[in-house]
Amino acid sequence: MSLLIDADYIVYKACAANEAEVDFGDDVIFVTSKFTEVMKSIERELYQIANDLGCFDDSILFFSDAVNFRKSIDPNYKGHRNRKKPCGYRRAINALRETYHVVTMPQLEADDALGIYATKEPGHILCSPDKDMRQIPGDLYDLTDGVITVEPEEGHRWHLIQTLAGDQTDGYAGVPGIGIKRAIALFEKDGYTWETVVKAFAEKDLSEDVALMNARLAKILQHEDYDFTNQEPRLWNPSPNPGADNGAAVQTEAD
C-alpha cells in the first residue's frame, strides 16, 4: 500500500509561506525565499501525513503538468490563477525527485493523475484536501479528519453534484444560484441522472452543451478516462441509457 499525495498543494503552500519581499527603494522590490526553510516545511507536512496514517510501503507525490487539457474545453478554466508560482516551487519539485517517486502526467492536473493511479491499482490511500477527490472510489485522507472510504456510486453522484454546483476556485460556474446543498436536494428529489442536470441548466436558460462543458471540467479522471497509448484524456459523456447506474457515466474517446 502506498500513500498517493497531492503534493501540488503541499509544495505551493510551503513556498508561498516562506516568501519575503525586500524593498530596495527606487522602484525595486525583490521576492526572496530561504530554500532550506521551504524544504523543512514540505518535509514536516509529509511526515505528518505519514505519521497520521501509520503503516504503508512508500509515498508517491503527484504534481500538475504545465499543460492543462481543461483549457481546450474552456479557455477560461482557472483563468484567475495566472499568478506565477511562488519562489522556489520548481526547485522544490526537483529536490523531491531525488528522494521520492514523483508523478506528472501529460496534460493532467495532479488530481487527475491521482485518480488514474488510484483506480488503475486499487488499494492505496489518496491524500488530498481537495473535495474533488470524493469522486474517486477508495480510501481518501483529507489531511485533517482521517480516512473515509468512497464507494463507486458515491463518486458518480459527487461528480454530478459538482457539475451543478460548479467550483469558483477552479473557475467553472455550474448552475447560477445552485451550491452543494441545493444540488443534493435537487438530485434527492429528481434522481441522480443526467436528465436532472440538463433540466437544472435549462431552468436558467443554459443549454445541454453548457451542462456538458461543466461536467467535463468537473470530472476527475479515472484509469478508463485516459488513453495511455496516446497519452491524452478521454472526454466524459453521459450514459446513453437514461437513469443507468443511477446517473453513472461512460467515457468515450476525446472528440
Side-chain angles (χ1 to χ4, degrees):
M1 179 186 72
S2 298
L3 304 183
L4 312 181
I5 300 176
D6 179 359
D8 257 350
Y9 164 79
I10 292 171
V11 172
Y12 191 100
K13 183 174 75 169
C15 291
N18 284 281
E19 277 189 343
E21 289 186 354
V22 180
D23 189 344
F24 287 92
D26 296 326
D27 206 30
V28 178
I29 300 174
F30 277 81
V31 176
T32 66
S33 176
K34 191 172 183 180
F35 190 66
T36 54
E37 294 302 316
V38 168
M39 294 307 296
K40 285 179 183 178
S41 296
I42 294 169
E43 290 294 350
R44 277 196 300 270
E45 290 268 5
L46 295 175
Y47 174 81
Q48 186 62 55
I49 293 170
N51 190 56
D52 287 348
L53 295 176
C55 184
F56 59 93
D57 296 323
D58 63 344
S59 295
I60 304 176
L61 310 185
F62 289 78
F63 292 94
S64 298
D65 189 32
V67 177
N68 189 332
F69 82 94
R70 288 180 177 83
K71 290 282 189 180
S72 66
I73 300 171
D74 179 9
N76 295 317
Y77 180 74
K78 289 189 175 179
H80 60 296
R81 292 193 186 183
N82 289 327
R83 182 186 182 275
K84 71 174 184 65
K85 297 295 187 184
C87 195
Y89 180 82
R90 297 297 176 192
R91 182 177 172 186
I93 295 175
N94 289 332
L96 289 167
R97 291 183 192 278
E98 297 177 7
T99 51
Y100 290 92
H101 180 185
V102 169
V103 174
T104 303
M105 296 181 68
Q107 302 187 52
L108 304 187
E109 297 180 62
D111 290 354
D112 299 303
L114 281 162
I116 290 168
Y117 199 105
T119 52
K120 190 171 188 293
E121 299 182 12
H124 305 298
I125 299 179
L126 280 168
C127 305
S128 172
D130 196 330
K131 65 183 184 302
D132 295 352
M133 301 314 294
R134 289 173 61 181
Q135 294 183 30
I136 304 302
D139 290 334
L140 171 64
Y141 175 54
D142 67 2
L143 308 191
T144 55
D145 296 328
V147 177
I148 63 169
T149 299
V150 178
E151 298 297 335
E153 186 56 34
E154 292 178 77
H156 294 313
R157 291 183 177 195
W158 190 251
H159 171 231
L160 295 182
I161 290 166
Q162 287 193 285
T163 298
L164 288 194
D167 190 328
Q168 296 304 317
T169 302
D170 286 344
Y172 63 96
V175 178
I178 293 185
I180 295 293
K181 289 183 179 179
R182 190 171 173 201
I184 292 172
L186 279 174
F187 283 121
E188 292 296 328
K189 173 177 172 287
D190 296 332
Y192 283 86
T193 67
W194 182 243
E195 286 68 29
T196 301
V197 173
V198 173
K199 179 182 176 183
F201 275 88
E203 287 176 352
K204 295 293 184 177
D205 296 321
L206 296 171
S207 69
E208 185 170 359
D209 286 343
V210 175
L212 183 58
M213 180 186 72
N214 278 268
R216 287 174 168 177
L217 294 174
K219 175 67 175 175
I220 303 301
L221 304 186
Q222 300 183 31
H223 73 95
E224 66 268 23
D225 306 316
Y226 192 71
D227 181 341
F228 288 90
T229 301
N230 296 311
Q231 294 190 314
E232 61 184 19
R234 298 184 173 110
L235 297 185
W236 185 89
N237 281 296
S239 169
N241 301 313
D245 294 324
N246 200 21
V250 296
Q251 289 71 38
T252 64
E253 295 291 341
D255 331 66

